[in-house]
Amino acid sequence: MTDALKRLSDEGVAIWLDDLSRKRITSGNLAELIDQQHIVGVTTNPSIFQKAISHGDGYEQQLTDLATRKVTVDEAIRMITTADVRDAADILRPVFDATDGQDGRVSIEVDPRLAHHTDATVAEAKQLAWLVDRPNTLIKIPATKAGLPAITEVIGKGISVNVTLIFSLERYREVMDAYLAGLEKAKASGLDLSKIHSVASFFVSRVDSEIDKRLDAIGTDEAKALKGKAALANARLAYQAYEEVFSSDRWAALDKAQANKQRPLWASTGVKDPAYKDTLYVDDLVAPGTVNTMPEATLDATADHGQITGNTIAGTYEQARAELDAVAKLGISYDDVVQLLEDEGVEKFEASWIDLLNSTEAELKRLAPSEG
């Protein structure tokens, strides 16, 4: 079952699970996936926690204790989510040690309501790093305009970061620039750069979902022929940008100081359109030094019938550029699409967070001891 996952891993792609719940931790499932499915990391987001806490079991005792202490709902959410991340980090610690800190990591996101507030994002990132208190944590910061200086500041303090919600090539370059600036700050402060790690989560499937919708609206044969091509083209050109930045003179100076490259992480790799093969965004995005974080359905599909045929990004840049240009020639604005996706991404995570706050508040009220 795991040959395809092993081949993927052997090609230099780190396989992370895009899901976490207390049941997954306590049942031994996460440990099993690490042992049998080549999982070497875990990503979470507000939607994942909302689903886990609202529908999952294993939280009742902690919720009862929190209700008894009369904590605020915001504090309750942070106590619950950081407990899960801490436990997952402990399970992944052997992977972290074996890979010298590269993998074995668990990501936790700053409150999505802070996405457009730089100082609050920095403060929350510091608080989360302190609360989880594990060296193999990544603090997720969205790649909004306000997020960019926050990334520099947080990296500069020696906190490892997963930059999330990257859709555009221009923004991705800005993210890499923010990371390098953070490393330069950390270096100036005398911090050990070898201990600072980062990934840049470049979102894939949502690009096809939005552009395909616009291609369908155009409806010509030429438009239909471009369906399912934009997301891969976009991601492949992101890898080209990564190769350029991390072979620059600026990087060379940091490399000499034992800094780590910020790896591209393919996010949103579950296929949204049932017309496409369910392993599309795994099979066709294979290159060394990348991470692919998969929902469990995509992980299982890859294990079962993934077709890993070596590097599927090398040599594709010209074709990828031509495909995005062809989409633009049909009147579909790339800048409009990626901005819309970023805005929607922030809004979706914020909505999930608010749902989580509301459902947790209801549970705290239900479990609160009666007065008297």
Side-chain angles (χ1 to χ4, degrees), residues 10-44:
D10 289 346
E11 287 292 337
V13 180
I15 305 167
W16 292 8
L17 178 70
D18 194 27
D19 190 52
L20 187 63
S21 67
R22 190 155 298 177
K23 188 173 183 183
R24 199 182 277 288
I25 292 164
T26 57
S27 68
N29 173 262
L30 178 58
E32 193 177 281
L33 290 173
I34 294 163
D35 186 47
Q36 297 176 13
Q37 301 281 61
H38 302 276
I39 290 293
V40 293
V42 167
T43 47
T44 68

Side-chain angles (χ1 to χ4, degrees), residues 100-156:
D100 202 22
Q102 175 113 306
D103 288 306
R105 293 197 169 259
V106 187
S107 298
I108 183 167
E109 191 147 345
V110 296
D111 185 330
R113 295 171 297 178
L114 307 178
H116 302 297
H117 305 279
T118 303
D119 291 346
T121 293
V122 173
E124 170 98 340
K126 285 157 62 181
Q127 172 75 356
L128 282 174
W130 177 83
L131 264 177
V132 177
D133 193 27
R134 295 294 184 271
N136 50 331
T137 313
L138 289 171
I139 307 302
K140 286 180 85 173
I141 297 175
T144 55
K145 277 291 184 190
L148 295 170
I151 293 157
T152 297
E153 193 65 26
V154 172
I155 290 289

Side-chain angles (χ1 to χ4, degrees), residues 83-361:
D84 280 358
V85 168
R86 194 180 306 115
D87 288 344
D90 287 344
I91 293 167
L92 278 154
R93 184 60 189 263
V95 177
F96 174 80
D97 292 337
T99 60
D100 202 22
Q102 175 113 306
D103 288 306
R105 293 197 169 259
V106 187
S107 298
I108 183 167
E109 191 147 345
V110 296
D111 185 330
R113 295 171 297 178
L114 307 178
H116 302 297
H117 305 279
T118 303
D119 291 346
T121 293
V122 173
E124 170 98 340
K126 285 157 62 181
Q127 172 75 356
L128 282 174
W130 177 83
L131 264 177
V132 177
D133 193 27
R134 295 294 184 271
N136 50 331
T137 313
L138 289 171
I139 307 302
K140 286 180 85 173
I141 297 175
T144 55
K145 277 291 184 190
L148 295 170
I151 293 157
T152 297
E153 193 65 26
V154 172
I155 290 289
K157 292 182 185 303
I159 297 169
S160 295
V161 171
N162 175 344
V163 183
T164 187
L165 290 175
I166 308 170
F167 295 94
S168 88
L169 295 166
E170 181 188 357
R171 183 58 54 83
Y172 178 41
R173 286 185 181 273
E174 291 174 336
V175 164
M176 289 188 283
D177 180 69
Y179 174 61
L180 297 187
L183 289 176
E184 287 158 353
K185 257 186 137 165
K187 186 182 173 189
S189 300
L191 296 179
D192 181 354
L193 300 193
S194 72
K195 302 291 187 205
I196 305 170
H197 287 259
S198 184
V199 293
S201 296
F202 199 87
F203 278 54
V204 185
S205 66
R206 293 186 197 180
V207 173
D208 270 343
S209 297
E210 183 58 35
I211 288 181
D212 283 358
K213 189 166 71 179
R214 298 180 187 209
L215 290 168
D216 279 336
I218 293 166
T220 62
D221 289 345
E222 189 186 4
K224 286 176 187 165
L226 287 167
K227 284 183 67 178
K229 294 192 182 333
L232 290 174
N234 200 37
R236 287 165 170 172
L237 291 173
Y239 192 78
Q240 181 185 32
Y242 158 77
E243 288 184 315
E244 285 171 11
V245 169
F246 290 100
S247 59
S248 66
D249 291 343
R250 185 183 182 190
W251 169 249
L254 291 162
D255 188 35
K256 206 176 282 186
Q258 307 299 309
N260 297 291
K261 291 178 180 177
Q262 181 186 54
R263 290 183 292 170
L265 178 151
W266 311 127
S268 181
T269 54
V271 171
K272 305 281 195 289
D273 188 334
Y276 302 151
K277 63 177 178 175
D278 53 4
T279 58
L280 177 66
Y281 304 125
V282 178
D283 298 350
D284 290 18
L285 287 175
V286 178
T290 59
V291 180
N292 194 312
T293 187
M294 309 179 200
E296 192 167 22
T298 304
L299 180 76
D300 290 344
T302 304
D304 184 59
H305 52 264
Q307 296 176 318
I308 310 304
T309 56
N311 190 324
T312 49
I313 292 182
T316 64
Y317 303 146
E318 207 175 308
Q319 171 82 16
R321 174 48 60 200
E323 284 166 351
L324 285 190
D325 286 348
V327 168
K329 277 183 191 140
L330 290 174
I332 295 172
S333 165
Y334 176 84
D335 290 344
D336 179 63
V337 167
V338 293
Q339 189 58 55
L340 174 74
L341 290 172
E342 181 188 303
D343 293 343
E344 281 183 353
V346 172
E347 284 164 15
K348 280 176 185 168
F349 281 168
E350 197 173 314
S352 292
W353 196 252
I354 289 165
D355 282 349
L356 178 55
L357 288 168
N358 291 339
S359 58
T360 303
E361 188 170 36

